[in-house]
Amino acid sequence: MIRTGDEYRESLRDGREVWMNGERVDDVTAHPAFQPIVDVRARIYDMAHEDEHRDTLSYEDGGGRFAVGLKLPRTRADWWEKRAAVDAVMDEIGGVVTRVGDETVGEMWSLFDGQDVLNEVDPRFAANIRRHIDAVLHEDVFHVSANTDPKGDRSKLPQEQDPDMLLHVVRETDSGIVIRGAKYETASAYANQAFVKPTIANWGDAELSDYALGCIVDMGAPGLRHLCRTGFAGRGPAEDYPLSSRVDEIDSMIIFDDVEVPWEDVLFYRHTRAAAFIRGTLHRYSAFPFVQRIQRFADMLIGVALHNVRQTGLERQQAVQEKLATLACYREGIHAHLTAAIALAEPSPAGLLMPNQSLLYTGRVLACSQLPAMMHVARELCGGQICVTPDHAMFAHPETAPWMEKFYTVNDEWTAEDRRRLLALARDLLNSDYAGHRLTFQLFAQSPPFAHLGAVYRNFDFSGPLDVVRQAAGLSERVPA
Ligand SMILES: Cc1cc2nc3c(=O)[nH]c(=O)nc-3n(C[C@H](O)[C@H](O)[C@H](O)COP(=O)(O)OP(=O)(O)OC[C@H]3O[C@@H](n4cnc5c(N)ncnc54)[C@H](O)[C@@H]3O)c2cc1C
């Protein structure tokens, strides 16, 4: 049931149409920008087969083995196991990757919870929903998420502008629906399928709409084009950009140029109530692994800052300790939210176990909204040398190397080469083009900040504070609860 890395690689050689830097990519498994991230995804598949990682990344059920990350969560133990599996992957790759499947599959569990509501709205697709939820687990597919359309002029309804600004159905055929438009999607070019559903947009108030559409789309389907942004991997010298030159998750604009989706892959269709329901519950599970990645990122911020102040002998300064403590509070704040979300997990409408929703969503706001400030604290602790240090070639050239050696050797423990390596990592983490990209990823990839706060507003139980004040002020019974 669990695939190998090579089986995954083979699944990508399906004639898909992928473009980068104005060129068609023949084979994403061999292209310099894609190969590193494909290899990371393949490594995750392979880890599940190895003695050292098998029990962390996979589990046995009815004679078969399945991926821990794809398991429908029913107990607290399931959540602890998922958390441990993500940590094992991050340890293995020595950095942070997010869109590798476990973080997007949770949207399918939201769909599992939504089966009754979707059936009630339109019962035609009930069997498709069940089959696809089952297939993700049993076929171990790499599954990603497609929500965000280009959207165009937001002051207008989609029908009042180029209709393709939001993905929509153009016609029905005997075998399915034909869809047209575009979506932004990380990892689509090297994933197997995507759960495609509407973005946050101006729907108008119609009950039925060609834009209310949820389906599973094969990432190699005819008519689908992946137009990718330039990759970071392999762009800079590895010595100077140790994170980004090693691996980079590629985002694409995927074009649906009249793509036919078979009826058996349609999950909901035309009912705006179904679309609104799905949007409202989308991140109920997937916010957990998303926020977990930020905890790992926070560890990296603390690590570079502390190594640096130890190198430069500044750790004993109280003001420096306070900044390190600020980073630790941020990291532990995320850790506490995730841990409490498991400890106080709650049953979902369909009998799964959801992380405590209020704690999970407030944790996501804490992690995302404070990230820029925390990156800045780490940058401040690293000092200006992260942006003025000459590159590796200067440490290597016979004429300049002695000077670099002289001024970058700190003491017996910290050689010039170790100092250079730390500063290069810190620069890539905090100051590079890639660092800005990662920050924007955390800001937007699981919807924008206003939607994160909207999720908090809908899930925090306001009745407690209202009661506290009702009692303290002696308010009358007429005041609404
Ligand atoms: C690196 C990266 C990776 C991504 N990967 C994926 C992916 O895998 N799958 C996917 O579907 N999407 C992905 N996205 C897209 C992401 O979901 C969108 O960027 C996000 O939903 C915001 O949409 P937008 O970019 O169109 O911003 P806009 O809608 O233009 O919003 C920009 C800003 O306008 C304001 N604003 C807009 N509408 C409102 C409103 N209704 N109320 C209040 N303020 C508002 C807010 O300040 C908001 O931040 C990715 C984005 C990035 C940057």
Side-chain angles (χ1 to χ4, degrees):
M1 306 289 177
I2 42 174
R3 296 202 287 186
T4 64
D6 279 343
E7 283 167 347
Y8 158 63
R9 287 189 185 92
E10 195 47 45
S11 73
L12 302 178
R13 297 188 188 109
D14 55 2
R16 60 185 56 205
E17 192 177 328
V18 177
W19 291 76
M20 181 183 273
N21 299 334
E23 287 172 8
R24 175 95 188 249
V25 175
D26 285 337
D27 178 359
V28 287
T29 69
H31 184 277
F34 290 96
Q35 188 184 343
I37 184 64
V38 170
D39 286 349
V40 164
R41 186 63 187 94
R43 179 80 198 105
I44 298 170
Y45 279 120
D46 284 337
M47 282 171 78
H49 293 268
E50 295 170 0
D51 289 347
E52 190 188 344
H53 302 292
R54 183 180 296 114
D55 292 335
T56 311
L57 267 75
S58 67
Y59 67 98
E60 195 162 321
D61 189 11
R65 284 202 86 80
F66 302 91
V68 162
L70 306 184
K71 185 182 187 186
L72 284 162
R74 297 182 189 278
T75 65
R76 285 188 181 80
D78 289 340
W79 281 106
W80 287 117
E81 283 163 19
K82 288 176 185 301
R83 201 171 169 183
V86 169
D87 280 338
V89 167
M90 301 297 132
D91 288 344
E92 177 74 9
I93 61 163
V96 177
V97 289
T98 305
R99 292 278 146 92
V100 286
D102 66 282
E103 184 256 353
T104 33
V105 74
E107 296 179 353
M108 294 300 278
W109 309 334
S110 300
L111 197 62
F112 182 87
D113 283 343
Q115 289 177 80
D116 288 348
V117 176
L118 297 178
N119 278 345
E120 194 188 298
V121 179
D122 184 350
R124 282 179 298 167
F125 307 114
N128 296 350
I129 295 174
R130 278 195 298 279
R131 192 167 41 76
H132 273 293
I133 288 165
D134 210 41
V136 170
L137 187 60
H138 284 84
E139 292 164 26
D140 203 10
V141 290
F142 179 14
H143 178 101
V144 290
S145 162
N147 309 305
T148 309
D149 307 66
K151 296 185 275 206
D153 183 343
R154 321 295 161 78
S155 67
K156 291 182 178 158
L157 290 172
Q159 296 85 348
E160 293 167 355
Q161 53 182 318
D162 179 338
D164 299 346
M165 286 296 175
L166 290 181
L167 187 76
H168 62 114
V169 177
V170 284
R171 62 180 180 278
E172 293 182 13
T173 64
D174 289 344
S175 40
I177 52 176
V178 175
I179 60 177
R180 191 169 179 79
K183 295 271 184 193
Y184 292 103
E185 201 177 325
T186 306
S188 68
Y190 49 94
N192 298 117
Q193 63 181 37
F195 175 18
V196 175
K197 62 271 180 212
T199 189
I200 304 167
N202 180 1
W203 289 94
D205 48 15
E207 194 180 322
L208 297 179
S209 165
D210 289 341
Y211 294 88
L213 163 71
C215 56
I216 299 291
V217 176
D218 185 324
M219 292 295 92
L224 202 67
R225 290 192 184 88
H226 305 257
L227 310 186
C228 306
R229 69 159 168 83
T230 301
F232 293 104
R235 213 206 284 174
E239 293 86 353
D240 293 318
Y241 296 93
L243 287 175
S244 58
S245 70
R246 198 160 26 128
V247 66
D248 167 35
E249 299 184 74
I250 310 282
D251 315 286
S252 308
M253 179 161 77
I254 48 174
I255 310 292
F256 298 76
D257 185 9
D258 287 357
V259 174
E260 184 165 54
V261 180
W263 284 118
E264 56 267 28
D265 292 342
V266 177
L267 306 175
F268 59 90
Y269 175 42
R270 302 205 74 224
H271 289 274
T272 51
R273 203 180 127 214
F277 173 82
I278 286 297
R279 273 255 44 119
T281 59
L282 196 60
H283 297 138
R284 155 182 296 179
Y285 301 97
S286 62
F288 191 96
F290 182 73
V291 174
Q292 189 181 347
R293 264 63 178 203
I294 310 181
Q295 182 187 332
R296 178 56 65 115
F297 196 79
D299 282 334
M300 296 186 78
L301 297 181
I302 295 170
V304 290
L306 183 53
H307 272 307
N308 182 72
V309 294
R310 286 197 170 162
Q311 273 186 355
T312 53
L314 291 169
E315 192 190 354
R316 286 199 210 111
Q317 304 276 344
Q318 191 191 332
V320 167
Q321 290 174 357
E322 284 173 11
K323 289 187 186 110
L324 288 164
T326 302
L327 289 175
C329 288
Y330 172 65
R331 191 268 183 205
E332 291 296 75
I334 300 170
H335 177 42
H337 274 87
L338 291 175
T339 304
I342 299 177
L344 301 178
E346 32 194 5
S348 81
L352 301 180
L353 192 73
M354 307 184 291
N356 183 284
Q357 295 291 280
S358 183
L359 289 165
L360 180 59
Y361 287 132
T362 48
R364 184 169 67 174
V365 169
L366 166 78
C368 293
S369 63
Q370 296 307 302
L371 183 59
M374 294 304 119
M375 287 175 76
H376 199 63
V377 171
R379 188 183 289 128
E380 193 192 322
L381 283 172
C382 286
Q385 290 191 23
I386 61 171
C387 75
V388 295
T389 293
D391 59 13
H392 173 256
M394 298 281 270
F395 284 78
H397 193 280
E399 286 204 22
T400 49
W403 294 107
M404 305 309 293
E405 190 72 20
K406 174 181 168 65
F407 289 111
Y408 279 84
T409 300
V410 184
N411 52 36
D412 289 345
E413 287 168 348
W414 284 103
T415 62
E417 176 57 9
D418 278 333
R419 176 116 183 98
R420 185 200 68 73
R421 281 172 185 255
L422 181 72
L423 289 171
L425 183 87
R427 177 174 57 186
D428 212 5
L429 188 72
L430 300 168
N431 265 20
S432 64
D433 191 353
Y434 170 75
H437 179 83
R438 275 228 69 90
L439 183 61
T440 308
F441 180 88
Q442 298 306 155
L443 185 69
F444 282 124
Q446 240 187 36
S447 68
F450 75 85
H452 291 188
L453 285 168
V456 169
Y457 184 79
R458 289 190 302 275
N459 286 278
F460 176 72
D461 182 359
F462 284 98
S463 66
L466 285 175
D467 279 348
V468 168
V469 171
R470 178 196 297 281
Q471 282 188 20
L475 300 181
S476 76
E477 291 301 317
R478 276 178 301 166
V479 174

